[in-house]
């Protein structure tokens, strides 16, 4: 599937959109503008002009931009943050339709995101057409209005440059963007928008037909309503339904009812009613009916999260859920689904899905019935909403954050097993499905099937197997991209139980580590050192990528190993382990061939130290880096503290201690407060990620980007950073100044007494230890201080309590 997503970029090189206008500054419009700014574009955000409502307003000379400026301000305060960094907002200019519409003449792309009313959209677009440039592309963001109807009043010329672009909320975090061409849309326009969205916005682009609610909402809303129906039929509580439609089946923690609360119950009702009206010929139309309790909640003003009451409401500090039979909020009761612990214990998602499907329990009944209904409905919508099953899977995964779409779930459980279950359930399946079964297909994603080409007109039953979903990291990210070859075999082996070493056809090696939670324990560290040795010792190998495809790159050092060693009283072994960690990180920095660490999602503690030391890292835009060791009573001792001290000396305008201290202070604060970056861009501002590091807006392109980075560095003639050399630290006076900063946090109630003691330990190391004054030191001098201080702290009871608490409860202890 990734091959299809990226094939456009391999065939053609499009000039990116650098000037984009967003018309409509509501919840979606302002966040779309924010994400366009995240990509680096200059954005013009326009909305209707404000007008004085009464004489009092007139005397105050209300700004015509007050509506758009207010929306812009609200967007900046949203959580999670729509912007990568606070400075990103400076790329957004606000204005109004009366004064600033003429600015559209300079825009590359104009996105209309006004209220969901056909007449308003058409009226605005007629004004837009009079001012835009001859090459400007125009798109509409709509959930359900037919794109052809919106375009009906446009000129033939603009119709060729017009299409639907349906972003999902929140645009920064949900990757799905449905592109909906009309019969008049120029294919080159569709290609350019799709390519830009994939590469520069990080979107998973799915081409949809111009039918009611396209693909994602048509199937996603059906799945939500079916879950509500089946939960009631089986007597499940609201909380139990959310449990059964949450992480246990690879979906978000919000499940079903919490998702409705987040969306807004009034919005949900509107979508359901509009869908019902728009699909008179849908055989399952009756499913799109508003649940009775939804109407009752809306009448009571309980609209979900925005009113702090919906299906859930916090009462006296307890999160209660509505009882649909009484419309009363009830405190949580003990779950009757006693089989779930056993389901969880089976292991990974595919194992859990198989166990749940086979379970002779209410949980199993619920899962089977909802899967059968959703899968059958999705199959019946082919070819109405799309020609291809995998596009439905993509839309549900990217738009609703499911780990697997319905057709993938079928294959994961077992195609034959689910087919028999559907037949027994009485759900009707389309002709193409029966043809596929008779033809002997063993799944929708059978291994070995030739990749489906972009734009293919092939219709069922020839498209059941567009991709082998069992491919591992290299195949997913190199071969599927269609942009790099992969020749398995040479030097392809497990270095140990935690890490696999592979080589692509053009000599780029990849070390994929797969330890529990991707922690960096002894096995991973040994594999990194061995992989570097293998690459350096083979003249056919051009460099190394260190990566994995876990939910997070790494949460840091293996605390379980540390706790076990401490419990055995083997403090010398702990010291040796810290030294090994330091040596491994330094070997990445000073490797004689390029080493690229490619990260994504959480990159914490020792993993951040690995990135800081890597001369040429690559990061997905949604990467969250932080030196968080103080949370477990320790300091960064894998070279992170040393690296910050050196950064301060290198970036200071001169070697005066006061100048070095000015650079060092905010870096010290980051460590003392265990701050984590909000994005890869923010990590660059925090100096956890180098400013020259390529950032991939699309997480699943990071390996390809890293691959190209290795090839570039190798082709240019790679020379590692020069080892050795000294740098200036401030000594005791700088340490005292940093301690005073920490003391202010203690006095303000932002730190505990032990947090303050730990912060002082950081200041001791980062300022050079017991040096009486400014002095130049070596990297090894600070590394030794890191290790000595780490060993002093690891023997403290409060530190050991913090480590134990985190391992037991997965939450930090601030003792």
């Amino acid at each position: 599937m990734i091959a299809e997503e990226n094939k456009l970029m391999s065939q053609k090189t499009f000039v990116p959109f650098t000037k984009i206008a967003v018309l409509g500054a509501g919840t979606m419009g302002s966040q779309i503008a924010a994400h366009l700014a995240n990509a680096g574009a200059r954005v013009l955000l326009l909305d209707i002009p404000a007008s004085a409502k009464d004489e009092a307003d007139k005397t105050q000379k209300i700004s015509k931009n007050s509506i758009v400026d207010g929306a812009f301000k609200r967007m900046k305060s949203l959580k999670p943050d729509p912007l990568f960094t606070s400075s990103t907002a400076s790329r957004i200019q606000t204005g109004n339709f009366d004064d600033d519409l003429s600015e559209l003449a300079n825009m590359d792309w104009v996105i209309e995101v006004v209220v969901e009313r056909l007449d308003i959209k058409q009226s605005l677009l007629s004004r837009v057409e009079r001012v835009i440039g001859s090459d400007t592309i125009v798109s509409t963001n709509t959930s359900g209005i037919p794109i052809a109807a919106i375009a009906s009043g446009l000129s033939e010329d603009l119709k060729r440059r017009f299409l639907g672009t349906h972003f999902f909320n929140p645009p920064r975090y949900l990757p799905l963007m449905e592109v909906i061409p009309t019969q008049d849309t120029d294919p080159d326009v569709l290609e350019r928008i799709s390519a830009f969205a994939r590469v520069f916005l990080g979107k998973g682009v799915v081409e949809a037909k111009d039918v009611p609610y396209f693909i994602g909402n048509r199937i996603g809303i059906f799945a939500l309503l079916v879950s509500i129906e089946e939960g009631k039929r089986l007597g499940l509580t609201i909380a139990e339904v959310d449990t059964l439609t949450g992480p246990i089946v690879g979906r978000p923690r919000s499940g079903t009812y919490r998702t409705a609360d987040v969306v807004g119950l009034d919005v949900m009702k509107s979508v359901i009613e509009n869908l019902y009206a728009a699909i008179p010929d849908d055989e399952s139309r009756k499913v799109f009916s508003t649940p009775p309790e939804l109407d009752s909640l809306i009448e009571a003003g309980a609209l979900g999260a925005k009113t702090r009451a919906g299906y859930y409401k916090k009462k006296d500090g307890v999160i209660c859920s509505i009882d649909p039979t009484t419309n009363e909020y009830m405190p949580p009761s003990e779950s009757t689904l006693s089989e779930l612990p056993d389901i969880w214990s089976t292991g990974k998602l595919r194992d859990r899905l198989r166990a749940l499907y086979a379970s002779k329990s209410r949980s199993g009944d619920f899962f089977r019935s909802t899967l059968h209904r959703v899968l059958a409905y999705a199959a019946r919508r082919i070819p109405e909403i799309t020609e291809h099953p995998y596009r439905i899977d993509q839309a549900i995964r990217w738009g609703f954050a499911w780990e697997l779409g319905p057709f993938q779930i079928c294959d994961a459980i077992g195609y034959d097993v689910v087919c028999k279950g559907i037949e027994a359930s009485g759900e009707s399946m389309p002709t193409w499905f029966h043809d596929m079964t008779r033809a002997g297909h063993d799944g929708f994603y059978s291994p070995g099937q030739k990749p489906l080409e972009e734009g293919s007109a092939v219709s069922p039953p020839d498209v059941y197997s567009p991709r082998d979903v069992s491919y591992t990291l290299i195949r997913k990210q190199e071969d599927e991209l269609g942009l790099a070859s992969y020749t398995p075999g040479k030097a392809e082996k497990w270095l140990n139980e935690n890490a696999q070493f592979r080589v692509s056809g053009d000599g780029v090696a990849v070390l994929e580590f797969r330890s529990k939670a991707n922690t960096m324990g002894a096995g991973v560290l040994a594999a990194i050192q061995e992989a570097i040795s293998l690459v350096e010792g083979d003249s056919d190998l051009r460099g190394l990528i260190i990566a994995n495809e876990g939910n997070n790159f790494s949460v840091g050092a293996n605390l379980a190993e540390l706790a076990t060693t401490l419990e055995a009283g083997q403090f010398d072994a702990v010291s040796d382990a810290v030294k090994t960690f330091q040596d491994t990180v330094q070997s990445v920095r000073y490797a004689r061939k390029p080493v690229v660490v490619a990260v994504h999602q959480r990159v914490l503690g020792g993993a951040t130290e690995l990135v800081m030391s890597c001369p040429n890292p690559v990061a997905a835009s949604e990467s969250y880096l932080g030196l968080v060791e103080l949370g477990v009573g320790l300091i960064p001792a894998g070279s992170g503290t040393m690296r910050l001290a050196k950064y301060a000396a290198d970036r200071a305008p001169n070697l005066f201690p006061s100048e070095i201290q000015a650079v060092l202070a905010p870096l010290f604060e980051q460590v003392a407060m265990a701050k984590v970056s909000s994005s890869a861009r923010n990590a660059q501002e925090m100096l956890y990620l180098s400013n020259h590091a390529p950032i991939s807006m699309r997480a699943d392109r990071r390996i390809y980007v890293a691959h190209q980075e290795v090839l570039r560095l190798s082709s240019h003639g790679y020379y590692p950073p020069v080892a050795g050399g000294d740098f200036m630290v401030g000594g005791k006076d700088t340490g005292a100044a940093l301690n005073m900063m920490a003391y202010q946090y203690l006095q303000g109630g932002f730190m505990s007494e032990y947090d303050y003691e730990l912060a002082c330990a950081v200041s001791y190391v980062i300022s050079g230890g017991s040096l009486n004054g400014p002095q130049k030191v070596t990297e090894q001098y600070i590394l030794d201080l890191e290790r000595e201080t780490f060993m002093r702290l690891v023997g403290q009871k409060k530190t050991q309590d913090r480590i134990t608490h985190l391992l037991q409860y997965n939450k930090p202890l601030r003792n």
Side-chain angles (χ1 to χ4, degrees):
M1 286 179 279
I2 299 173
E4 181 192 350
E5 296 150 21
N6 290 273
K7 186 180 177 186
L8 296 176
M9 293 305 294
S10 68
Q11 290 179 332
K12 298 180 181 180
T13 301
F14 293 99
V15 174
F17 301 108
T18 58
K19 294 174 290 184
I20 306 174
V22 177
L23 310 182
T27 300
M28 277 300 294
S30 60
Q31 290 191 74
I32 289 172
H35 197 52
L36 294 168
N38 288 337
R42 284 282 175 186
V43 184
L44 178 63
L45 179 63
L46 304 182
D47 210 315
I48 59 174
S51 58
K53 296 178 182 178
D54 52 39
E55 291 301 317
D57 284 346
K58 291 177 183 178
T59 61
Q60 295 175 18
K61 297 182 178 179
I62 297 297
S63 168
K64 292 180 75 172
N65 283 353
S66 62
I67 291 176
V68 67
D69 288 344
F72 181 58
K73 182 178 180 180
R74 287 190 294 275
M75 177 274 290
K76 291 191 291 183
S77 66
L78 289 175
K79 298 297 178 187
D81 199 332
L83 297 163
F84 283 168
T85 68
S86 58
S87 61
T88 303
S90 65
R91 288 197 283 271
I92 302 175
Q93 175 189 343
T94 58
N96 65 80
F97 294 154
D98 282 359
D99 298 336
D100 304 295
L101 211 60
S102 62
E103 294 294 322
L104 301 187
N106 303 314
M107 296 294 139
D108 302 320
W109 180 16
V110 175
I111 308 173
E112 171 272 303
V113 201
V114 297
V115 65
E116 286 282 87
R117 276 183 48 183
L118 178 61
D119 58 335
I120 293 177
K121 289 179 180 289
Q122 289 179 326
S123 175
L124 177 59
L125 288 172
S126 69
R127 296 175 63 189
V128 168
E129 183 167 12
R130 292 195 289 269
V131 297
I132 59 173
S134 59
D135 296 324
T136 303
I137 294 174
V138 180
S139 69
T140 177
N141 183 81
T142 176
S143 298
I145 301 176
I147 308 302
I150 298 173
S152 61
L154 303 178
S155 68
E156 294 303 313
D157 178 56
L158 182 53
K159 283 181 179 178
R160 287 192 288 273
R161 293 177 279 130
F162 185 81
L163 72 164
T165 50
H166 182 212
F167 291 80
F168 271 59
N169 189 26
R172 172 181 167 183
Y173 299 97
L174 281 181
L176 179 61
M177 190 176 97
E178 293 172 315
V179 292
I180 310 98
T182 70
Q183 62 180 7
D184 299 307
T185 304
D186 187 326
D188 281 346
V189 168
L190 177 64
E191 278 192 89
R192 187 179 178 196
I193 289 288
S194 299
F196 180 85
R198 288 183 175 98
V199 176
F200 296 101
L201 299 181
K203 290 297 175 186
V205 177
V206 175
E207 184 179 337
K209 293 186 178 182
D210 191 7
V211 295
Y213 286 81
F214 315 125
I215 299 175
N217 280 337
R218 185 74 172 272
I219 304 300
I221 298 300
F222 180 87
L224 184 145
L225 292 172
V226 161
S227 294
I228 291 175
E229 275 190 17
E230 293 298 322
K232 291 177 180 177
R233 181 180 68 83
L234 292 167
L236 298 172
T237 66
I238 282 175
E240 287 172 335
V241 170
D242 279 353
T243 296
L244 291 173
T245 54
I248 195 168
V249 291
R251 302 185 200 172
R253 294 185 184 278
S254 53
T256 296
Y257 289 99
R258 286 187 188 277
T259 295
D261 275 355
V262 170
V263 170
L265 302 191
D266 53 339
V267 174
M268 184 66 63
K269 177 180 172 67
S270 175
V271 169
I272 294 169
E273 290 178 344
N274 289 341
L275 246 173
Y276 183 86
I279 51 173
D281 298 324
D282 189 316
E283 79 289 333
S284 300
R285 187 188 190 202
K286 66 178 182 179
V287 172
F288 296 97
S289 301
T290 307
E293 74 280 357
L294 184 65
D295 287 326
S296 299
L297 287 167
I298 292 172
E299 289 174 9
L303 306 181
K306 57 190 172 185
T307 60
R308 299 187 178 183
Y311 281 109
Y312 288 93
K313 180 180 180 179
K314 183 178 283 189
K315 295 177 63 177
D316 299 325
V318 177
I319 297 177
C320 302
S321 58
I322 199 77
D323 182 342
T325 61
T326 64
N327 285 333
E328 297 289 332
Y329 286 100
M330 304 299 292
S333 57
E334 186 173 347
S335 173
T336 60
L337 307 178
S338 58
E339 63 276 5
L340 291 189
D342 289 338
I343 303 293
W344 272 109
S345 69
T346 58
K348 295 183 178 181
L349 176 59
R350 284 172 169 77
D351 298 318
R352 298 199 303 272
L353 294 174
R354 294 186 191 106
L356 195 54
Y357 192 85
S359 177
K360 305 298 183 183
S361 63
R362 285 197 303 159
S363 296
D365 290 342
F366 175 85
F367 179 60
R368 286 187 294 273
S369 60
T370 53
L371 175 61
H372 293 159
R373 292 182 64 182
V374 172
L375 182 62
Y377 184 75
R380 293 195 298 268
R381 298 283 69 76
I382 296 172
E384 176 194 348
I385 63 176
T386 179
E387 301 291 338
H388 311 308
Y390 78 93
R391 282 187 173 151
I392 291 176
D393 282 346
Q394 287 176 329
I396 293 300
R397 286 170 43 228
W398 294 336
F400 289 81
W402 292 22
E403 290 186 42
L404 298 174
F407 296 102
Q408 289 174 308
I409 291 173
C410 174
D411 280 9
I413 293 170
Y415 176 80
D416 291 339
V417 173
V418 176
C419 286
K420 290 177 182 177
I422 290 176
E423 183 178 359
S425 73
E427 285 290 332
S428 63
M429 296 295 283
T431 300
W432 66 261
F433 176 84
H434 296 297
D435 291 343
M436 169 185 169
T437 304
R438 283 192 292 270
H441 288 276
D442 59 357
F444 296 98
Y445 295 84
S446 295
Q449 178 76 19
K450 181 180 178 181
L452 183 69
E453 299 299 322
E454 172 70 23
S456 170
V458 177
S459 58
D462 297 319
V463 299
Y464 308 131
S465 312
R467 180 59 52 197
D468 173 6
V469 295
S470 67
Y471 278 2
T472 51
L473 179 70
I474 309 306
R475 279 241 157 103
K476 281 184 177 177
Q477 308 243 11
E478 290 184 357
D479 185 46
E480 288 193 4
L481 280 169
L483 299 171
S485 61
Y486 169 61
T487 305
K490 181 178 181 181
E492 183 174 356
K493 60 180 179 179
W494 286 92
L495 301 186
N496 56 48
E497 64 180 3
N498 295 311
Q500 193 170 29
F501 182 83
R502 302 184 181 198
V503 180
S504 69
D506 44 13
V508 177
V510 177
L511 178 70
E512 180 186 0
F513 64 93
R514 305 176 183 177
S515 55
K516 185 175 181 180
N518 289 335
T519 53
M520 298 174 64
V524 171
L525 299 176
I528 291 174
Q529 294 200 32
E530 184 178 354
I532 292 173
S533 295
L534 288 170
V535 169
E536 289 183 336
D538 189 334
S539 60
D540 291 331
L541 299 184
R542 303 179 66 176
L544 175 68
I545 299 169
I546 300 174
N548 63 63
E549 58 175 339
N551 292 332
N552 301 294
F553 175 76
S554 176
V555 295
N558 191 324
L559 287 180
E561 280 186 3
L562 175 61
T564 300
T565 309
L566 288 175
E567 188 176 349
Q570 299 173 344
F571 283 86
D572 287 344
V574 173
S575 181
D576 291 342
V578 176
K579 181 65 165 60
T580 298
F581 202 111
Q582 292 177 336
D583 291 344
T584 301
V585 169
Q586 290 289 81
S587 72
V588 168
R589 182 167 187 80
Y590 296 115
R592 291 170 293 171
K593 287 186 180 179
V595 176
V596 174
V597 178
V599 301
H600 66 288
Q601 290 294 313
R602 288 196 291 175
V603 188
L604 302 179
T608 292
E609 294 177 293
L610 183 68
V611 175
M612 291 170 68
S613 292
C614 179
N616 297 284
V618 166
S621 59
E622 299 299 340
S623 295
Y624 314 114
L625 285 72
L627 296 176
V628 296
E629 285 86 349
L630 269 70
V632 289
L634 299 168
I635 69 163
S639 82
T641 309
M642 178 273 290
R643 197 65 55 199
L644 291 179
K646 193 169 186 180
Y647 284 168
D650 291 344
R651 284 165 172 74
N654 54 56
L655 295 182
F656 290 121
S658 59
E659 298 286 5
I660 295 175
Q661 183 179 312
V663 178
L664 189 59
L667 303 178
F668 166 73
E669 180 187 9
Q670 290 170 189
V671 180
M673 300 301 291
K675 291 183 178 180
V676 176
S677 73
S678 59
S679 66
R681 293 289 180 201
N682 185 221
Q684 289 179 321
E685 293 181 340
M686 298 171 72
L687 301 187
Y688 290 155
L689 181 67
S690 63
N691 283 330
H692 67 265
I695 293 176
S696 174
M697 292 289 282
R698 184 75 182 272
D700 55 14
R701 293 189 76 246
R702 70 190 184 281
I703 306 300
Y704 169 70
V705 174
H707 188 113
Q708 296 303 304
E709 188 72 353
V710 170
L711 294 178
R712 179 187 70 83
L713 292 165
S714 175
S715 296
H716 286 190
Y718 183 72
Y719 203 91
V722 178
D726 49 21
F727 57 95
M728 185 70 76
V729 293
K732 287 184 177 179
D733 288 346
T734 296
L738 298 178
N739 289 347
M740 181 56 67
M741 284 180 57
Y743 184 72
Q744 291 173 347
Y745 282 111
L746 174 63
Q747 292 297 99
F750 299 105
M751 280 185 173
S752 69
E753 290 280 353
Y754 196 54
D755 288 330
Y756 172 68
E757 183 179 333
L758 295 167
C760 291
V762 174
S763 71
Y764 174 79
V765 175
I766 209 168
S767 60
S770 58
L771 298 176
N772 288 323
Q775 187 173 322
K776 287 191 172 183
V777 298
T778 64
E779 289 187 355
Q780 191 59 52
Y781 174 82
I782 301 295
L783 289 173
D784 290 342
L785 280 180
E786 283 184 353
R787 190 168 67 258
E788 291 167 10
T789 304
F790 183 98
M791 292 307 300
R792 177 174 63 81
L793 293 172
V794 84
Q796 300 291 319
K797 183 178 185 304
K798 288 185 176 180
T799 288
Q800 294 175 5
D801 287 345
R802 287 190 175 198
I803 293 171
T804 301
H805 189 274
L806 185 67
L807 290 172
Q808 286 184 350
Y809 303 106
N810 200 29
K811 292 181 180 180
L813 171 67
R814 305 314 288 259
N815 53 359

